[in-house]
């Protein structure tokens, strides 16, 4: 199975509490980090792949050490494909590549991309980037992205898959905070966002 997430911002204490940018209603950063780990592992199995679209960890005053980030990531199930976010530095990626655990079948746990990844799903293309893209007129192409936290691009073809994304409210079922999205959930968001925007344009 394939799953999608972004903007986990492990260790980012400044995001805690109610705010417009990235509301995270946890008392401590440890509680927030554990909530993401638990939600991730309840969904993702070792054989699965999770596309993480950037901003793994963050602490404005004292960036967590590479070893601390690795310790968190080692607790997460599945293979993780990282697309570099604006808060992900190359030194971290090099460290993770050097200390890359092996999954069954000799698969590396971590894979890395600087800009984006394109995959196919149900006759659509998912173009995955950290920053949202303005695709113009497209057919059967969806840009999965992160970066903008609790904001949304007013186009159905742009879907924010970050843990703070307002698109999560379009799902008919509520997911625990930090749960990576499935392919089926991406399409549910896409269809409901299409309908919502069409209704707004009529009014």
């Amino acid at each position: 199975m394939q799953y999608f997430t972004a903007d986990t911002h492990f260790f980012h204490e400044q995001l805690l509490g109610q705010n417009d940018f990235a509301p995270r209603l946890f008392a401590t950063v440890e509680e927030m980090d554990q909530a993401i780990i638990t939600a991730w592992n309840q969904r993702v199995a070792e054989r699965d792949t999770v596309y993480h679209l950037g901003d793994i960890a963050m602490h404005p005053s004292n960036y967590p050490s590479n070893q601390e980030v690795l310790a968190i990531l080692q607790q997460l199930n599945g293979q993780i494909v990282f697309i570099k976010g604006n808060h992900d530095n190359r030194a971290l990626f090099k460290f993770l590549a050097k200390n890359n655990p092996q999954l069954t079948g000799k698969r590396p746990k971590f894979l890395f991309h600087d800009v984006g990844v394109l995959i196919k799903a149900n006759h659509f293309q998912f173009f995955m980037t950290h920053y949202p893209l303005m695709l113009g007129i497209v057919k059967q192409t969806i840009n999965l992205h992160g970066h903008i936290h609790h904001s949304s691009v007013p186009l159905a073809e742009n879907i924010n898959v970050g843990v703070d994304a307002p698109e999560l409210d379009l799902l008919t079922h509520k997911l625990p905070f930090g749960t990576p999205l499935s392919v089926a959930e991406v399409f549910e968001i896409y269809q409901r966002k299409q309908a919502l925007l069409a209704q707004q344009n009529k009014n």
Side-chain angles (χ1 to χ4, degrees), residues 115-164:
V115 179
V117 175
L118 184 68
I119 65 170
K120 292 185 178 181
N122 298 348
H123 307 291
F124 273 69
Q125 293 184 112
F126 288 174
F127 192 9
M128 294 176 285
T129 55
H130 178 62
Y131 301 99
L133 298 178
M134 296 296 102
L135 295 174
I137 298 172
V138 294
K139 184 178 181 181
Q140 294 178 292
T141 299
I142 298 173
N143 172 218
L144 305 184
H145 65 85
H147 185 61
I148 57 175
H149 289 271
H150 198 59
S151 297
S152 179
V153 176
L155 295 169
E157 291 77 19
N158 292 81
I159 297 177
N160 182 356
V161 300
V163 298
D164 310 300

Side-chain angles (χ1 to χ4, degrees), residues 5-75:
T5 193
D7 300 305
T8 45
H9 278 245
F10 292 112
F11 305 103
H12 196 166
E13 187 174 4
Q14 284 77 2
L15 296 184
L16 296 179
Q18 185 60 263
N19 61 81
D20 293 332
F21 175 66
R24 302 198 176 188
L25 306 182
F26 300 96
T28 66
V29 71
E30 290 81 11
E31 184 182 337
M32 177 189 75
D33 292 351
Q34 188 56 56
I36 297 172
I37 294 167
T38 299
W40 180 303
N41 289 339
Q42 284 176 342
R43 165 155 286 191
V44 179
E46 185 187 9
R47 65 183 178 279
D48 296 331
T49 298
V50 181
Y51 292 90
H52 189 303
L53 310 190
D55 287 3
I56 302 165
M58 174 70 179
H59 193 310
S61 62
N62 181 22
Y63 194 87
S65 72
N66 293 339
Q67 188 60 55
E68 287 177 305
V69 177
L70 176 61
I72 286 274
L73 297 177
Q74 285 175 322
Q75 298 177 59

